[in-house]
Amino acid sequence: MAAILEVRDLRVEFPTRRGTLTALDGVSFDIAPGEVLGVVGESGAGKSMTGAAIIGLLEPPGRIAGGEILLNGKRIDRLPYEQMRRIRGKEIGAIFQDPLTTLNPLYTVGRQLVETMQTHLPLSDRDARQRAIGWLEMVGIPAAAQRVDSYPHEFSGGMRQRVVIALALCAEPALIVADEPTTALDVSIQAQIIALLKRLAREKGTAMMLVTHDMGVIAETADRVAVMYAGRIAEIGPVRSVVKSPKHPYSVGLMSSIPPLDRRVAQLSGIEGAMPRLSAIPQGCAFNPRCPHVFARCRQDRPELIETGTTRAACWLYDPASEKRAPEAVQHG
Amino acid sequence: MAETPVLVAEDLAKSFDVSRPLLQRLLAGEGRRTLKAVDGVSFDIPKGTTLSLVGESGCGKSTVARLVVGLYRPTQGRVLFEGIELEKARANPETRRRMQMIFQDPYASLNPRWRVQEIVAEPIRAFGLAQGAAALRDRVGQLLTQVGLSPLDGEKFPHEFSGGQRQRISIARALSSNPDFLVCDEPTSALDVSVQAQILNLMKDLQARLGLTYLFISHNLAVVRQVSDRIGVMYLGRLVELAPAETLFTAPRHPYTRALMEAIPDLEMTGRQRIPVGGEVPSPINPPTGCPFHPRCPLADARCKAEMPKLLPPPGQPGTIAACHAVEEGRDPAPAPAGTDQRIGTTATAL
């Protein structure tokens, strides 16, 4: 099936007084209908930036400096503001981390839903209100017919995030960009919200880009995962392969840093050092100063994504032309 | 006779007045409102061990941390530091030196205008622990080395460091007065996972080398499992279960503990359908009657709605205490033998 979202060689730059910083470089992926692509990485890796570029809400002075973004085969990265505004909401729904700042505190949730739907769909006032109540029911808000006239502050955090999900979905977009949708929520609420998002995306055939730093959430929700590091995709592949047998040394380190829930380990294996700042990304592979398998070529040339069986990893270990080949036991644990 | 625990909390409670202003109260004809952030919490921490408190936001775990170091004064109950009442203990600088705190946010807890050198040296100066500038500089260098930084880093300002390095600076500052007891309030929550692993390893290593005693506050059960000797689970200001770390994970008893474990997304990808616990944490201003968990509990009955359960050892499990009528009466599903999946299904009302 044709992909709903195609991102090709996306490059985002931030001009600063001290020179231009490259926040995203050569990011490519696509998402099929009904598919959930998880995007993981640590803070500053560029995962939220990728989402912001797709929905056309990059913080100035950030700008798309190269590549293209296609939604249902049409370029959306060069659209004028007005045109992009119409696509947001109608064709792309966005869910952000903090439900309180997403909702307008001065309007009832019903009015916000009605307004969103009427902006994008030809609906009478009465039909729109009926649909708003229907959406609140669908996202699991009890007594939706009464709650539709409540203001955001009258809802708890988990309920607010349900309202935000209803808002993102109510114009039936083809793509949802969800940026840390459960991070502000407690773990018992988080599970409810993930189950809800996943069910709705499946039922409506919506493509979803799920940005999060929580691998547990990804493992339970995503079909495929992209692991980002220093503004690039380090590895991309089916969720099971990336979680269970990661190939890129950064993914291996990331997976083994996660404290296991089912046992106690004497020593957690973190990754030495920290991610480089955008102003000081090393030559060659950005991960090379922290990589346990680094060799000469990593310090000179930047690796592109290379097929490694089930996933693709940007790592010279997997290039047949490299003199040092992938060790048999790049395993986590 | 057993050694005196480093810290004992006896029936601790802390209420906050959250009333509206007087005039509004009079106009609306309503009384004062209090929020019981912590209610009847007791525990002890033996020397050289780690007690962790876990729970969701608003359960009172951070309030307990603040009560224990004397940042808040308890409304009821008391804290004993090595057998001495906290207020008396803290009047003595020698005792005050021996308890320190590490905070969650390494961006907010370091003075941005001070060099790292000065940040780490402040407690040493305050307690008069080094004589002369050279000795002070040596001691700071030694502390920075101990937490995995370089003595040369003392010249820099906090903004020159990453989050993980800043948390190392916070730890160096906390260690600078040679404490025996550290209260760590979500020390790794603001950090990325690969950095979190470094900090947790550092904290465990320092405990082994210096014989430190920790009170560790976290919402992350997986983190808590890696560092704790004993774990207390809190819900709406109360301890609902307290057990040795391994027992809590292999044989959790309180329905809330079980629900929490059930709710954590895991990496195992067994395809297991998680059944999330329904509902949300009620408001602590107006808590439910009886057991605070009963509105969300799959085992709740009439007694749970009426009567507050006491912390008691479940039959045949002496190391644990749980505050649950169902456990006490043997109505809960028995804990499965070791090695099997402990998660139980809980009601899913919201979905």
Side-chain angles (χ1 to χ4, degrees):
Chain A
M1 203 165 1
I4 287 187
L5 179 76
E6 291 170 70
V7 176
R8 296 278 160 265
D9 214 19
L10 181 66
R11 182 181 173 89
V12 169
E13 290 180 349
F14 278 76
T16 69
R17 261 182 298 169
R18 287 186 216 156
T20 302
L21 299 179
T22 307
L24 291 181
D25 194 4
V27 172
S28 301
F29 59 85
D30 45 39
I31 313 180
E35 185 184 43
V36 179
L37 175 76
V39 179
V40 285
E42 299 181 284
S43 34
K47 50 194 197 303
S48 292
M49 185 90 56
T50 309
I54 290 167
I55 56 182
L57 289 178
L58 276 178
E59 295 255 344
R63 59 186 169 85
I64 295 177
E68 46 190 54
I69 303 169
L70 293 97
L71 185 69
N72 285 323
K74 289 190 309 256
R75 291 266 313 250
I76 57 165
D77 52 303
R78 297 260 156 99
L79 294 181
Y81 183 83
E82 245 333 280
Q83 234 172 317
M84 194 60 206
R85 201 177 65 85
R86 250 172 279 142
I87 285 177
R88 269 196 303 272
K90 172 89 187 85
E91 292 174 61
I92 308 178
I95 300 170
F96 299 102
Q97 176 170 347
D98 181 359
L100 201 54
T101 50
T102 307
L103 297 169
N104 188 329
L106 300 178
Y107 294 154
T108 64
V109 299
R111 178 160 169 197
Q112 298 184 49
L113 280 163
V114 164
E115 190 180 295
T116 306
M117 284 188 282
Q118 287 187 329
T119 307
H120 301 295
L121 306 169
L123 287 174
S124 71
D125 288 356
R126 176 196 291 229
D127 287 352
R129 189 181 157 84
Q130 272 316 309
R131 277 221 206 177
I133 294 170
W135 274 107
L136 292 179
E137 274 167 3
M138 205 173 318
V139 296
I141 296 207
Q146 286 96 58
R147 300 291 268 163
V148 71
D149 294 318
S150 304
Y151 288 89
H153 75 265
E154 298 175 75
F155 290 87
S156 65
M159 287 295 152
R160 270 182 218 141
Q161 196 62 309
R162 288 169 192 270
V163 173
V164 171
I165 291 174
L167 261 178
L169 289 167
C170 67
E172 315 224 320
L175 171 72
I176 292 177
V177 176
D179 189 355
E180 305 272 8
T182 60
T183 307
L185 305 174
D186 275 321
V187 60
S188 68
I189 310 302
Q190 187 181 347
Q192 301 170 4
I193 298 293
I194 292 168
L196 172 71
L197 262 179
K198 196 173 170 175
R199 180 168 61 84
L200 292 177
R202 287 272 186 286
E203 279 174 13
K204 308 269 173 203
T206 315
M208 181 153 78
M209 175 174 160
L210 176 66
V211 174
T212 177
H213 68 280
D214 187 334
M215 276 313 299
V217 169
I218 293 280
E220 298 225 335
T221 319
D223 301 301
R224 283 189 306 137
V225 195
V227 179
M228 293 194 68
Y229 187 80
R232 294 172 69 86
I233 292 179
E235 182 164 3
I236 183 165
V239 64
R240 178 167 287 276
S241 309
V242 175
V243 171
K244 292 285 187 189
S245 51
K247 292 295 194 300
H248 194 290
Y250 174 66
S251 323
V252 174
L254 188 65
M255 296 305 155
S256 53
S257 303
I258 300 168
L261 186 62
D262 59 353
R263 63 187 186 280
R264 183 176 172 136
V265 293
Q267 189 82 358
L268 288 162
S269 40
I271 310 174
E272 283 307 310
M275 194 156 58
R277 295 179 182 204
L278 288 181
S279 52
I281 292 179
Q283 197 195 343
C285 171
F287 188 60
N288 86 62
R290 302 174 75 188
C291 183
H293 307 289
V294 61
F295 57 103
R297 193 174 177 190
C298 309
R299 297 198 182 92
Q300 283 150 20
D301 308 330
R302 194 145 60 179
E304 297 301 325
L305 288 171
I306 299 166
E307 297 282 342
T308 64
T310 46
T311 76
R312 289 184 300 143
C315 176
W316 288 129
L317 289 173
Y318 300 99
D319 183 18
S322 293
E323 69 273 33
K324 181 173 169 183
R325 300 293 301 277
E328 291 303 313
V330 183
Q331 284 295 329
H332 68 113
Chain B
M1 208 185 89
E3 208 178 345
T4 319
V6 172
L7 194 100
V8 177
E10 281 179 5
D11 198 26
L12 272 187
K14 175 69 188 172
S15 304
F16 294 100
D17 188 342
V18 292
S19 311
R20 295 205 291 169
L22 177 68
L23 189 60
Q24 284 184 28
R25 268 204 326 270
L26 290 175
L27 289 173
E30 58 178 40
R32 289 196 162 274
R33 280 195 297 184
T34 53
L35 181 154
K36 277 194 172 174
V38 172
D39 197 4
V41 169
S42 303
F43 54 81
D44 53 57
I45 316 178
K47 189 172 166 43
T49 67
T50 303
L51 172 77
S52 293
L53 295 178
V54 290
E56 299 179 288
S57 44
C59 73
K61 54 192 192 301
S62 291
T63 307
V64 170
R66 282 156 185 267
L67 285 168
V68 157
V69 292
L71 289 174
Y72 288 150
R73 190 183 288 234
T75 320
Q76 172 201 310
R78 57 179 192 161
V79 176
L80 302 176
F81 182 69
E82 295 187 332
I84 304 166
E85 209 151 329
L86 189 65
E87 205 132 312
K88 216 180 289 171
R90 286 193 64 83
N92 178 358
E94 173 52 23
T95 328
R96 211 158 57 222
R97 162 186 85 69
R98 296 176 46 213
M99 49 199 322
Q100 292 292 337
M101 189 158 177
I102 299 169
F103 296 93
Q104 172 171 357
D105 187 349
Y107 294 83
S109 58
L110 301 175
N111 187 334
R113 292 165 186 272
W114 282 20
R115 290 181 195 275
V116 168
Q117 166 90 24
E118 296 155 41
I119 292 172
V120 177
E122 191 186 27
I124 306 178
R125 259 203 213 103
F127 291 113
L129 297 176
Q131 309 309 321
L136 186 65
R137 203 168 42 243
D138 285 353
R139 177 71 184 131
V140 170
Q142 192 191 340
L143 284 160
L144 290 174
T145 313
Q146 197 165 37
V147 297
L149 296 169
S150 147
L152 298 174
D153 288 333
E155 292 302 313
K156 298 185 189 162
F157 287 97
H159 73 86
E160 297 176 65
F161 295 90
S162 67
Q165 289 172 319
R166 283 181 216 213
Q167 204 55 305
R168 288 176 192 266
I169 298 169
S170 303
I171 295 173
R173 175 179 58 183
L175 292 176
S176 66
S177 66
N178 301 321
D180 301 300
F181 176 57
L182 283 181
V183 176
C184 315
D185 189 2
E186 303 264 15
T188 62
S189 307
L191 306 177
D192 278 320
V193 62
S194 69
V195 177
Q196 165 175 285
Q198 298 167 11
I199 297 294
L200 291 177
N201 285 337
L202 172 66
M203 290 181 59
K204 282 165 81 168
D205 178 49
L206 290 171
Q207 179 169 46
R209 275 197 286 153
L210 307 174
L212 300 171
T213 306
Y214 289 139
L215 174 63
F216 193 95
I217 310 290
S218 179
H219 69 281
N220 186 329
L221 275 167
V223 164
V224 154
R225 181 164 203 175
Q226 305 309 318
V227 298
S228 315
D229 295 293
R230 285 186 310 145
I231 301 172
V233 181
M234 290 188 68
Y235 188 76
L236 268 185
R238 298 184 153 265
L239 264 180
V240 297
E241 183 162 0
L242 181 65
E246 274 315 293
T247 316
L248 189 87
F249 284 92
T250 52
R253 294 308 293 264
H254 197 283
Y256 177 63
T257 312
R258 294 183 173 205
L260 261 188
M261 294 195 182
E262 168 74 22
I264 299 168
D266 66 23
L267 289 172
E268 289 314 307
M269 298 199 294
T270 46
R272 177 179 59 94
Q273 197 59 46
R274 285 194 294 132
I275 309 159
V277 57
E280 302 194 11
V281 182
S283 158
I285 296 174
N286 190 11
T289 56
C291 169
F293 189 58
H294 88 254
R296 304 173 77 187
C297 182
L299 305 172
D301 67 5
R303 188 180 173 203
C304 303
K305 291 189 179 97
E307 189 188 327
M308 179 78 81
K310 290 193 180 64
L311 276 167
L312 297 168
Q317 199 172 317
T320 299
I321 45 174
C324 177
H325 294 312
V327 170
E328 185 194 338
E329 295 162 13
R331 283 193 285 118
D332 66 325
T340 57
D341 199 2
Q342 294 299 325
R343 300 154 199 261
I344 58 161
T346 43
T347 47
T349 52
L351 286 170

